[in-house]
Amino acid sequence: MEEPSGCNKSAPKGKKDDLYHVLHKVPYGDSPYVRAKHAQLVEKDPEAAIVLFWKAINSGDKVDSALKDMAVVMKQLDRSDEAIEAIRSFRSLCSKQSQESLDNVLIDLYKKCGKIDEQIEMLKRKLKLIYQGEAFNGKLTKTARSHGKKFQVSIKQETSRLLGNLGWAYMQKMNYMMAEVVYRKAQIIDPDCNKACNLGLCLIRQARYEEAQLILEDVLKGNLPGSDDSKARKRAQDLRTELRSMLPPPHFSDLLGLDDEFIKGLEQLMNEWGPIRSKRLPIFEEISSFRDQLAC
């Protein structure tokens, strides 16, 4: 018995639709949120996407995702202040599980706008949730997404990441002492070369050049995770060059590798070889001789 012709025609069409949604990462359907994602990812029309995201939020259509995605698009259009206000106003409509990701978006927006105090406050609040065991919905790991790829993040890694961001925020406030404390804690929990470079810069700004040099050498010697990254090595090399330009020129005795005790011994030996010559200039020696002649 032959298969109905309609089945043969519909199968390729279904596969084609599936491929379309996979390639463009657009969800199925015709709701405001789906149309917003289509405008954002397929039509590349961010302004139209924002209008449709607003419709999705107001109609209760995937509010968690709509609010977060809209804020990201607004940031791309340099409308970060508007995105911050949107999250603050409508996050109460979102689920408890989405609040953590909304916090992450807010931190990025504060950083973009130069709202350092708000950024610090948010980072400290997220760290407090970790200390209280309330982060990751009580789990030890969570699934994160970056550049379309999913990966697992542990509480330890997240704590170190947040501390690193907090350290950088303190650096922007030129509070180098607090930044140093935070960076050192981050490196104890989960060390990496990026935070090491930031700690080195922090110490340079405090004129603690020898300590900074030791940390940068650790990166250049490959002693830290991520040291094989070319960008990290380049940054460590640039910081070391900056550091060397700030160091005082070495003393002549340092160039010869001589220490103080050796120099003192050498001077004593030279004194024993011959009489100590007068420290007065020759002209005063001549005046003294002429004065003695007159006295006679």
Side-chain angles (χ1 to χ4, degrees), residues 136-176:
F136 289 18
N137 296 315
K139 299 178 182 178
L140 294 177
T141 61
K142 73 171 183 177
T143 302
R145 186 188 294 271
S146 178
H147 304 292
K149 295 182 179 179
K150 291 182 179 180
F151 56 95
Q152 291 294 310
V153 177
S154 68
I155 283 283
K156 186 177 175 182
Q157 291 170 322
E158 179 71 358
T159 303
S160 182
R161 184 186 73 82
L162 291 172
L163 286 170
N165 289 341
L166 183 59
W168 186 251
Y170 279 126
M171 289 278 284
Q172 307 315 299
K173 297 278 289 182
M174 289 187 280
N175 189 344
Y176 301 122

Side-chain angles (χ1 to χ4, degrees), residues 209-267:
Y209 303 128
E210 291 183 3
E211 293 175 71
Q213 187 162 343
L214 288 173
I215 288 170
L216 295 175
E217 288 298 332
D218 268 347
V219 176
L220 295 172
K221 288 177 182 177
N223 295 337
L224 291 168
S227 297
D228 55 344
D229 181 69
S230 59
K231 290 183 179 179
R233 293 186 64 82
K234 175 69 165 56
R235 186 170 181 230
Q237 288 168 351
D238 291 343
L239 285 171
R240 186 173 63 176
T241 301
E242 178 184 344
L243 172 62
R244 286 175 175 173
S245 70
M246 296 176 177
L247 291 173
H251 191 270
F252 179 69
S253 62
D254 294 334
L255 291 174
L256 294 177
L258 305 178
D259 57 29
D260 292 340
E261 291 298 322
F262 182 85
I263 293 173
K264 287 178 182 178
L266 184 60
E267 289 175 350

Side-chain angles (χ1 to χ4, degrees), residues 126-144:
K126 285 179 71 66
L127 285 164
K128 187 176 180 181
L129 289 176
I130 290 176
Y131 300 152
Q132 293 174 341
E134 298 177 19
F136 289 18
N137 296 315
K139 299 178 182 178
L140 294 177
T141 61
K142 73 171 183 177
T143 302

Side-chain angles (χ1 to χ4, degrees), residues 7 19 34 52 57 68 157 183 194 200 202 209 249-250 282:
C7 294
L19 182 62
V34 171
L52 290 165
I57 293 167
K68 184 176 71 172
Q157 291 170 322
Y183 275 131
N194 182 52
C202 179
Y209 303 128

Side-chain angles (χ1 to χ4, degrees), residues 12-32:
K13 184 178 183 302
K15 289 182 179 178
K16 187 176 179 181
D17 287 344
D18 289 342
L19 182 62
Y20 173 85
H21 288 285
V22 169
L23 286 175
H24 294 287
K25 299 175 183 175
V26 177
Y28 290 90
D30 191 40
S31 66

